[in-house]
Amino acid sequence: MSDYVPIYKKIIHANDVLVERSLPNEGSLRVKAGDIVEAFTEIGSSKYALNNFLVDPLFSAQLFPGKTFARGETIGRFRGKSVDAPFNGVLEKQGDAFVLVSQKETFVLLSGVWGEVVDVAENLSALIKTHTTNIHMLASTENSVEGELVVFPNPSSEMQMQYLKKYHKNVYKKILYVGDYFQEDLLEKAIELEVSGILAGSADRELFSIAKKADIFLGLFSGFGQLSTPKDVFSTLTNVSNRYVFVRGIEGLLRIPMPEAFDDPEVRSSTVKTNLKLLKKGVRVVVFSEDHFGWVGFIEKASKDSIVVKFEKNDTSVEVPLPNIWALV
Amino acid sequence: MSVLSAHIGSKQVTFLAPGLPKKGYEIFRFPFLYNPVLQVHFTDRKTFYTDVFRYAIKKLGLSVQDCDILICSDLEPVELDLDIKVSTPASALLADLLDFNVMYVNSTTSITPSRMSKEDILAFLANLALVPNMIVEKAKFKMYHDFVRFGSLDKAYELDPKLPILFCGDRFSSEYVKDTDMFQSLLTHIRTPGVFSVLVDMNGSYLPSLMLKKYRPEVYESLLSPDVIPTILGTVVRVDSAVECLFSTDSGTSQFFEVPRNNLFFVPLEGGSKAHISVKSSSLGQYEGTVGGGKLGFVVDTRSIDSNDPGIEEENIISYENIERQIGEALAVL
């Protein structure tokens, strides 16, 4: 029998993380290499049209550059149906096509992170060295989003919808942590409100196809089904509600910028740590079995014949076969 | 120079270290593989397997500086920060085994309708995809676990009745799966009517030993041991109709029995013992011959051969538990 199991890092504190902050188009940057920035430091701005609408060349309409449309006004007809302007805008000729462009507004780029500017792409972007707490999601869509994190206070699934409707009317482009588990109706509502992403402990597998279709980010900390969010993940999230965060779907990571660098020698060390950990009493583990998938606990007993894990969630002790245990660090 | 032969499968890494001073050889199974879902954000495949091999080398009392490493793997070749003498796909070794019907069972593939809640099944299968080396404990999920495996073999897998069946792969060689569970899965994979001698690689050492045979034959010659040759399970009569059978042993005892359709019937027959059988069934016709015993003895399996039939419905879960109980009783006798 193996005495060692692989380690799984759920929450990683990292120094010297590079984050690129970009303007949507060319504008002006107010920082240079060496500048120290905070999350609310304005690092640049540009004039930017938030909305563009490609007008199909097959439209039956009298179109010319500079023609303006109010929201709801008919642009023309296409296959027998009238097509209305989705926003106030003006027509621009771009190549052979007409594009309805909304009024350009000033886009202000905030740093979003604490750290030092290490490089800039002139009038376009800044590369900032910062410190982040990264939380790993077991399953997520592959898109990447960023925005303000709104943490629901781990409500029951009945409360989630009320919370979304009543208390968070302004959730446009925000990232919501909604609780241990959520259902399709909440996802549909979030899509309607143009939320950027939803984080939760778990959800049904089918919601991923809906999320992908709507291009909304979906990230699960524990897995599929009805599983709880680990306690330490939830407490980390509650401490950073309303912070600007970054989600990298392809790596399954939620990156939370932190104001101070971590002083822990484990974080500062650049040497590679071993990937295995000795199983012994007191080691914190995560269990992957049918009934306790993603549950976190401590080794209560580890002998040649039996491994018993005491779960943090309900203080119960369960015997778990070895391959279903990973050391949590 | 010592040798370490390893097989990286779909659920575990099996190490075989020959030429050790006390026992002569040692087998060690590490029941984890690199899992990108859980590890890609902080480590890579090469670093992980280097740590695993260093751990195995230390545990087996070998030295990193004085060890030839031979590796075969199910998937893409593994790289290490250690010197690898030979790296080859497992399939290349299996292709050399012309004297067996080789049943190599590893993958999970298809999904089929059932009465279980769709959400439960999808969540289970999706979680299994996240952590593929998970050991499945509940009967209702075991049914599914095995049923999904059929997808990779299906009834299209035609066995040659003249050759014995050799079962290998991580499904049959984990030290954390009960024998009854493993044998249940194994029997259900035989889907061609016939009378078969059946062997299984129960500790995963067969592929590492084949590596030695091919690349270090002088070490292999000194290795011959019951632990690194497949376990003989006995003889399985596989039909999907009722069977009449006359069973006679060398000691002169005879018994006649009928096995109805959709049943499993076990007759104790120890390894090394022989019996003469005369079998009659509509799907097999008349068969007479001498068969050998083994860990399971003589088995008549009349369950449906249709790959859609095992199902995952409630009555089949009960049946699955019955079969495990029957196998447990058969193992206890021998």
Side-chain angles (χ1 to χ4, degrees), chain A residues 1-4 6-9 12 136 138 206 224 274-275 288 290-291 293 321-326, chain B residues 30-32 37-39 41-43 47-48 51 55 59 118 126-127 130 133-138 176:
Chain A
M1 178 172 150
S2 177
D3 309 321
Y4 282 74
I7 60 169
Y8 169 52
K9 293 188 175 185
I12 299 175
H136 182 246
L138 264 175
E206 287 168 314
F224 298 104
T274 178
N275 284 289
F288 296 114
E290 311 99 282
D291 289 343
F293 196 92
L322 183 58
N324 295 357
I325 298 174
W326 289 58
Chain B
F30 185 71
F32 299 92
V37 171
L38 297 177
Q39 295 173 285
H41 62 291
F42 67 91
T43 193
T47 312
F48 174 77
D51 285 347
Y55 166 49
K59 189 174 176 73
K118 192 179 171 189
N127 286 332
L130 294 175
N133 72 324
M134 185 167 91
I135 294 290
V136 182
E137 295 181 284
K138 288 277 167 65
Y176 303 100

Side-chain angles (χ1 to χ4, degrees), chain A residues 72-89:
Chain A
E73 191 180 342
T74 299
I75 300 174
R77 295 185 69 79
F78 183 64
R79 290 181 180 161
K81 290 183 181 171
S82 67
V83 178
D84 300 335
F87 47 82
N88 298 336

